[in-house]
Amino acid sequence: VKRGDKWGFIDTTGHVVIEPAWDWAEGFSGGLAAVNRGGAVVDSWQGEGVSILDGNQTLIGGTWGFIDRAGRIVIEPQWDEAQRFSGGLGWVRGGDKWSLIDTTGRIVINPQWDDVREFSAGLAWVATRGRWGFVDATGSLVVGLQWDGVRSFSSGLAWVATRGRWGFIDTT
């Protein structure tokens, strides 16, 4: 819920359960919500260091951390960008590289990826220099960085693209 220019959370009956205190807040996933402190929401912006909120608004700057359902800060805002937790793991960006953290904030995969997407079916998309592949929760590259584009695994298959053509792969 937004009150003034700050975001908080309400329950299903509309009662405020976490007072609006954040410049932006994502929904809860895995028991945690990504929150931004110090960012500015603008109607349009092109450039580095931005988070696209929806088709009309962009968040510039600030730092991202995570709160629990009681509104307690679990992971201090310190990251330039953050994605929702999935399976107890969440991607965070500091500088120009993405790391994977657990729900305590411990780094599980050191900063190394240019772009990432959340885990699905135990694998996450990762990219370096425009080439995409998949890693598991330990950071092991399961499918090499060889694709121009990828989509999440579902029922053992994932869409991949190379030279403008799309097809399916499995994890082998």
Side-chain angles (χ1 to χ4, degrees), residues 87-110:
L89 300 169
W91 291 107
V92 292
R93 183 179 59 79
D96 61 351
K97 298 294 181 185
W98 287 86
S99 306
L100 189 66
I101 61 173
D102 65 17
T103 57
T104 69
R106 183 181 64 86
I107 293 177
V108 176
I109 298 176
N110 289 322

Side-chain angles (χ1 to χ4, degrees), residues 76-159:
E76 282 290 333
Q78 60 189 295
W79 305 101
D80 297 325
E81 198 169 349
Q83 293 185 8
R84 295 174 187 225
F85 270 83
S86 174
L89 300 169
W91 291 107
V92 292
R93 183 179 59 79
D96 61 351
K97 298 294 181 185
W98 287 86
S99 306
L100 189 66
I101 61 173
D102 65 17
T103 57
T104 69
R106 183 181 64 86
I107 293 177
V108 176
I109 298 176
N110 289 322
Q112 60 187 298
W113 305 109
D114 297 338
D115 203 354
V116 297
R117 298 294 184 273
E118 68 184 42
F119 279 84
S120 173
L123 299 174
W125 329 353
V126 294
T128 298
R129 293 184 296 279
R131 303 300 287 175
W132 289 88
F134 293 88
V135 295
D136 64 18
T138 69
S140 296
L141 204 55
V142 176
V143 176
L145 300 170
Q146 57 189 312
W147 307 104
D148 299 327
V150 296
R151 298 294 178 264
S152 296
F153 272 90
S154 177
S155 301
L157 299 173
W159 281 100

Side-chain angles (χ1 to χ4, degrees), residues 23 41 58 66 68-69 71 99 101 114 124 141 152:
D23 295 305
V41 177
T58 303
F66 294 87
D68 64 16
R69 291 187 180 276
S99 306
I101 61 173
D114 297 338
L141 204 55
S152 296

Side-chain angles (χ1 to χ4, degrees), residues 28-33 67-70 74 85:
F28 279 90
S29 177
L32 299 176
I67 61 172
D68 64 16
R69 291 187 180 276
V74 176
F85 270 83

